[in-house]
Amino acid sequence: MGPILLIAIAAAAASALLAAGVAAGSVLAVPLFYLAPLPVMIAGIAFSPIAAGLAVVLAGAGLGLMFGGAFLLAYVLGIGAPAFALAYAAMLARPNEAQPDELVWYPVGHLVLLAAGFATLSVGVAVFSMAGDYETYRAAVTATFDAMLGPATAGPDAEAGRAFMAHVLPPMAGLLTMVSQLICLYLAGRAARISDRMGRPWPQLSMMRLPRMAPFVLGAALVVTMLPGLLGLVGSVAAATVMLAFSLVGFAVVHAITIGYGGRAMILAALWLTTVVLGWPVLAMAVLGFTDALFDFRARLAGRPLPPAKDR
């Protein structure tokens, strides 16, 4: 228990310091804030879920004492609990009924959808803790931006800009939260693998698939977006994060179907670069990922002959 406690203390200290930096108001502290789940995930994947759980408790207690209950709640719901749950789920396994001497590990696609759920939950709690109705929430967002950038010029354009910002801010926060959780999970897995403490085989990311219920989850989220008030706003967060999950499946499809082709590196580099610069390919990848969930392109192409060696 002694080594586990030391690991938990170290992970808690690192996670708390990364999260506390944002309280200083420095712009440079924001990227570090989104890395706060990483120490907890490393503790959970490379060592023990007990170490990860203790790290969340210790870090949350320290932040609560320093900055109050609101910061404690934000850390636990937005960073600590998702980091622990994702790391714990990543190491889950069950016996393989077909081959009893092997294990079936928790699928990567399920982890992605789980991250979408945690991102939606954390942003939803933040929105409802900010205000009890949409108009109060919008007024709070407007006041925050006016305090940061100065009062906006009056007029219909300014009001439309404020309304747009108030509506897109939660989905953007949800997407950023989900991406940061998945990046931290990937980095934690790589760190555990490099240190030879990875308790599971490295998954084949190009074969990632979402659970069968994912299309229904997306449909339900889109229905909720039509509701008035804050519920519709939280529904937009859920829809955005689930669409991002389908986008990642779309990227996985492109990675899988280009295996064995000589121009693969150029195709993938162009796709990712275009996505980072322009952004809109994410929507195309979401459509591809959703279509793959219906028709399973990778299974249909699994038996295709590879191109000649000179073309690879």
Side-chain angles (χ1 to χ4, degrees), residues 231-258:
L231 285 177
L233 196 62
V234 175
S236 67
V237 179
T241 54
V242 177
M243 286 185 66
L244 177 59
F246 276 108
S247 297
L248 294 177
V249 174
F251 283 109
V253 170
V254 176
H255 276 256
I257 64 178
T258 55

Side-chain angles (χ1 to χ4, degrees), residues 143 207 231 273 311:
M207 298 308 295
L231 285 177
L273 182 61
D311 296 330

Side-chain angles (χ1 to χ4, degrees), residues 37-177:
L38 182 56
V40 176
M41 290 180 175
I42 291 176
I45 293 176
F47 296 97
S48 166
I50 298 176
L54 286 175
V56 173
V57 172
L58 294 174
L63 292 171
L65 291 174
M66 292 178 61
F67 302 106
F71 205 101
L72 165 62
L73 182 64
Y75 174 82
V76 171
L77 292 180
I79 298 176
F84 169 79
L86 288 171
Y88 181 80
M91 303 308 295
L92 285 178
R94 60 177 174 80
N96 189 342
E97 296 180 358
Q99 298 178 340
D101 56 336
E102 294 183 0
L103 295 175
V104 177
W105 295 91
Y106 197 78
V108 175
H110 290 59
L111 290 173
V112 171
L113 194 62
L114 189 61
F118 278 121
T120 301
L121 176 63
S122 61
V123 174
V125 170
V127 167
F128 277 101
S129 64
M130 183 184 299
D133 59 84
Y134 184 79
E135 291 304 321
T136 305
Y137 158 78
R138 179 179 170 183
V141 172
T142 299
T144 301
F145 273 87
D146 286 348
M148 293 174 59
L149 307 176
T153 304
D157 292 340
E159 289 300 321
R162 292 176 180 181
F164 176 76
M165 185 57 66
H167 193 75
V168 302
L169 190 60
M172 290 174 59
L175 292 174
L176 188 58
T177 300

Side-chain angles (χ1 to χ4, degrees), residues 124-224:
V125 170
V127 167
F128 277 101
S129 64
M130 183 184 299
D133 59 84
Y134 184 79
E135 291 304 321
T136 305
Y137 158 78
R138 179 179 170 183
V141 172
T142 299
T144 301
F145 273 87
D146 286 348
M148 293 174 59
L149 307 176
T153 304
D157 292 340
E159 289 300 321
R162 292 176 180 181
F164 176 76
M165 185 57 66
H167 193 75
V168 302
L169 190 60
M172 290 174 59
L175 292 174
L176 188 58
T177 300
M178 179 180 172
V179 169
S180 65
Q181 289 175 353
L182 292 176
I183 290 176
C184 287
L185 185 63
Y186 176 83
L187 293 176
R190 297 297 295 185
R193 188 183 186 190
I194 291 172
S195 61
D196 201 23
R197 299 193 65 90
M198 188 73 173
R200 63 172 290 174
W202 189 258
Q204 188 176 358
L205 299 180
S206 62
M207 298 308 295
M208 176 183 68
R209 288 177 173 82
L210 296 181
R212 293 181 179 179
M213 66 175 179
F216 301 100
V217 173
L218 178 59
L222 291 174
V223 170
V224 175

